[in-house]
Amino acid sequence: MNKPKMTTEKGIPGNSRVQMFLGQLERMNGEAMLADTEIARQITAKILHLIQTQEKTRKEIMSKGSSGMEVILATLENTQDLQTTLNILYILNELLTVGGGRRVGVLVSKGGTGILLQMVISASKESVPSDELMLQLHSVLAKVGPKDRKFGVKARLNGALNVTVNLLKQNLQNPKLLLPCLQVLRVYSSNSVNAVSLGKNGLVELMFKIIGPFSKKNTSLLKVALDTLGALLKSKTNARRAVDRGHVPVLLYIYQDWHRNDTRHRHMLIRKGVLGCLKNITNIKLGRRAFINADGMRILYNTSTECLPVRTLDPLINTSSLIMRKCFPKNRLPLPTITSVFHYQLPHIPAGGPVAQLYSQPPGVDDVVDESDDNEDTEVENDTENEEDQDQHVQNDDIETDISKLRPQDTPSRPFEELKVYERFFLELSSDFQGFNLDIPKNTVTDSRKSTKSQGSIVVPSAQGLPPKCPPTDSLHLGTITKGQDVCCDHSHSQTPQGVGLEQALLEKLEQVSITRPQGRVGGGVGGEASRHQPTRLAGSVSARLGGVGEEALVEEEGGEVSVLEVPDTALLLPLHDPNLYVEMVKSTCSVPQYSEVAYPDYYGHVAPTFREPILERVYGVQRTKIFQDIERLIHPNDILDKVVYDLDLQSSPVVDNGESLKFNSQFESGNLRKAIQVRKFEYDLVLNSDINSNHYHQWFYFEVSGMSVGTPYRFNIINCEKSNSQFNYGMQVLMYSVQEAINGRPRWVRSGTDICYYKNHFSRSSIAAGGQKGKSYYTMSFTMTFSHRDDVCYFAYHYPYTYSTLKMHLRKLESLRTPRIYLRQDVLCQTLGGNDCPLLTITAMPESTSNHLICQFRNRPLVFLSARVHPGETNASWVMKGTLEFLMGSTPLAQGLREAYIFKIVPMLNPDGVVNGNHRCSLSGEDLNRQWQSPSPELHPTIYHTKSLLQYLAAIQRAPLVFCDYHGHSRKKNVFMYGCSLKETVWQTNISATSCDLHEDLGYRTLPKILSQTAPAFSMASCSFVVERSKEATARVVVWREIGVQRSYTMESTLCGCDQGKYKGLQIGTRELEEMGAQFCVALLRLKRLPSPLELRNQVPLLDVENDLIETGCKVTSGSVSTYVLEDEERSFMEEVDYSAESADDPDPDPADAHDNHLSDSGVQQP
């Protein structure tokens, strides 16, 4: 008899015995199978024996190209003999036990799942079903199910679900059959539709009959039963059913019992399975309520605390923590309203948008809490605040696909007659310099600003002239001067006496400087005018320190003189900083709160530290510890002080200080802290103020702390952050400025704080606060600080502060750097809503003479247009701009060459009002100014309107800038990088079809960032993106590219954290690096100028190698809402020991019985 020639693997003989037997089975399939039952039994028995004894037989049957599996399945389908069927099931069990998913995949691909399920149905119809047959069928199905993605659907369509459930009901006392049935039901239940159907058929109740208290018997079965129950409870219908039948206390009792008896921790998976059931059942409001009523918080808290010493039990602790945080009752923020504590009445209200909604809100509406705070649907996090790039790696629907919108506009957007008024800002383009003295003295400046404000006077009374203990009532407590000397002269050091606290030193050594504000200045706000002759005080002055002791507490020294507090000598280190000039600038700054204090750091200045500040390494378990401390508030409420120690909402009735709490202050320029609550003796909850005319954007903070003890760790929690993730989870630290350190000669902001983490908290955002979205939570940014000096005055900030008054001081000091070879002009572009000037700078090189040839060259220099600080909280943009300005005003040959190469137009601060008033994102209009460039309002967005008009004027006279760059900061990425605009790269990221003619594009837009990647150590080309998105169509970058026709139109983003590549890898970024970046940008512009022609550009090293760049950066299209495509160096999810969100990381299938309900999803980062 000829043997079938079946394909086999190399090395296995083709005429082996198993091949012979399979060939015989193949020929028997059909009618012969029914006739020769005994032969079929014998052949299958022999194949089984070979498989059990020879591994090579298994390989032969499952080898690639072999028809062995087909023969076996065909025999299984055709035979009606029980023993033959069992033999084949034994064979399949043996084959699938070893070999992993590949062998199961072969079975599934050959239709094995359907055959097995059909056999289950057929066997169930027998009058007395064979237990062994059902056992083997379910054993094989248990192996096949997890590898077949459509297993649940197939089982439901075949009607196998109820068969298995009924089999389970009949065999509750038969562990041998129970186990494979549970394994199959576990797979069935992973399908949400199946889970609902099985629940209706009583499977949930059956599971609670199987699981139970601690027992050493049948632990494997119990583990599978818990997994099955957990899968069932992902359905909200089943979860409600479990709650209604009182199963939540049962689960808690079972968990406690296993925790108590499993002393050697051998059954951690069972304990984790119970927690998994609790996690799913608490996804619904009823489940959470039942959990609380059953004392679940205390039970899980106590058991988790006992598990803490055992590192291997971390999975139990983490799941318990997740459940407790989810069930923690949602609280309202401790505020009367989420809108800003400061109000500014707009000249008119926009027709639509968030601001219009804010103003249309009926009076008396509680906007802090609403029905969403106890919403049954668990939160679906999708942070779409139009902030920065989102990190969901799916197709980006936000990418612009309309090619007509990816091309410059051909027609001017405004008639030239309207734009001629801006000619006065471009005198350098028309001046012939005839009669102009090109040898201008060094300290003069071409300045077109008209003096519209009277300057306030600084009166420095001598110490002898002051009556003892009676200083002037309108004095500014600033100390920079020694007794009887002029304000600007002395910069000597002063040390605080040993044993004398800083507050007492301030008391004994304060000089009085009177500052009178200019007459007639108008401040924003309800009151209209700012107070006149209003004193400006140094924030943290003695009167504030000593609870109202005030001016009479000044101590008279011998001879009736009053000692002074000397400012550290920063004159040599900070050539652009002058404390007294800063005070002069403060006088003409208008704020809505009408600030009258000056913060020490802004007055003293900041000298960048010489030491490195590495990115903070995450300490294991730090977040878990803080989360458990938060949970303790609910379990032990009597331990919570809940004492308000600072509250801007109660300015009319100041908080009483008993000397046992820290003192806080934020009432100075750029300050932001609304409320401070002492939770425990050394722990404080802090609430940030919303942007004015807004009800959100809580990120920027800048506040003062005093009254601390030395060596005591204080915990600070900023509890109303909104973003779903932060660089505080990736090594970024807060900034701290110590006045005591400054007095000791170290005036600087330093990265500080330990135990830093950022996670979702139990404070709920109302739907009003969340832009209509329900169920969203706030986030906590927590850090711990131990102070080094007794009675110090310290300041904390989100990033290095840079106030509007600082800018004005720096611009005034820059004028003194002007040489006869520098053309510098300062204009006031416009006034802001709040009455502050928006400066416009023009910097270039003076022509060498008034000859026509040189004047012509001068006028024809290409223009570079720079802007910064449209978002007030992105202070790093101002430090980069400071580096650019200092370089441009420098005396180096490179600086001179750059001035000779270009005419620079610079708007260094596009949003002065937002900066002054401590906003994070918006101007006084309550809107993000970088989303107003398409149609800016001259009344509501004057700085954007007039800046765009300047660019439109240049386009109208055919002098559009060669480069436009808007400086920004980025809160979620590391390094410095650019966003640009490219038609070709945008089309590449979409599925739209375009002709080669449509995609014709000069690649010069890549040249500048490529140069920066080669010269600036903090710059990362890999993080750059040139994709145009719909959500960014109203930003400066896109509008200037599309409407003005500037090919090199960029946003330059600087990290708030640090770098993960290059020279500064592993280091947090500081002001020195930021200023260096501004200077390197200038150097790159000079290199750009020296690249002779586009033709030669293409011969340069890969400056324009787009394809290679895209391959190197590994760009992935992302989406979601508002996003630029993500690159490989995007911040990955932070993997630690605790889930950052309050919810589960699992994404359950939607419940078909409750289509309107949304299951829980986790948007935060996870930790294993």
Side-chain angles (χ1 to χ4, degrees), residues 1052-1111:
M1052 186 162 74
E1053 302 271 4
S1054 300
T1055 178
L1056 292 164
C1057 178
C1059 298
D1060 58 13
Q1061 52 88 50
K1063 174 183 174 182
Y1064 301 129
K1065 182 177 181 178
L1067 300 178
Q1068 296 185 77
I1069 203 160
T1071 56
R1072 180 180 287 107
E1073 292 75 32
L1074 292 169
E1075 291 183 50
E1076 177 192 68
M1077 187 65 234
Q1080 290 288 358
F1081 183 81
C1082 294
V1083 174
L1085 287 173
L1086 194 56
R1087 286 190 60 185
L1088 179 69
K1089 176 68 175 177
R1090 291 174 178 173
L1091 291 174
S1093 68
L1095 202 55
E1096 293 188 48
L1097 263 181
R1098 296 184 179 275
N1099 298 326
Q1100 296 286 328
V1101 240
L1103 281 178
L1104 302 178
D1105 194 349
V1106 186
E1107 287 81 2
N1108 282 344
D1109 280 341
L1110 290 177
I1111 291 171

Side-chain angles (χ1 to χ4, degrees), residues 235-286:
S235 159
K236 289 188 176 182
T237 303
N238 291 336
R240 291 191 194 99
R241 185 177 286 111
V243 173
D244 292 341
R245 286 162 175 73
H247 291 318
V248 173
V250 174
L251 287 170
L252 287 168
Y253 168 75
I254 291 173
Y255 182 72
Q256 270 187 301
D257 192 63
W258 279 90
H259 170 80
R260 190 182 304 115
N261 292 286
D262 185 24
T263 54
R264 297 189 179 181
H265 313 304
R266 292 178 176 176
H267 304 293
M268 192 179 76
L269 292 178
I270 292 177
R271 293 156 69 180
K272 188 177 180 182
V274 180
L275 289 176
C277 295
L278 285 168
K279 182 183 73 172
N280 291 335
I281 211 170
T282 52
N283 282 348
I284 63 171
K285 182 171 64 177
L286 285 174

Side-chain angles (χ1 to χ4, degrees), residues 195-210:
V196 175
S197 177
L198 292 168
K200 289 179 180 178
N201 203 17
L203 187 58
V204 174
E205 286 73 19
L206 275 177
M207 291 300 102
F208 278 98
K209 291 181 181 179
I210 297 171

Side-chain angles (χ1 to χ4, degrees), residues 598-648:
V598 178
Y600 279 111
D602 304 324
Y603 178 70
Y604 285 162
H606 160 73
V607 179
T610 56
F611 51 84
R612 292 186 169 189
E613 296 181 291
I615 291 173
L616 188 66
E617 185 176 347
R618 186 64 169 254
V619 177
Y620 181 84
V622 58
Q623 181 181 339
R624 183 174 64 193
T625 301
K626 295 201 173 190
I627 288 171
F628 271 70
Q629 290 173 1
D630 291 347
I631 293 169
E632 285 175 8
R633 300 187 189 190
L634 183 67
I635 298 173
H636 305 297
N638 294 333
D639 296 342
I640 303 304
L641 299 176
D642 203 25
K643 173 186 174 185
V644 178
V645 296
Y646 180 74
D647 193 350
L648 286 182

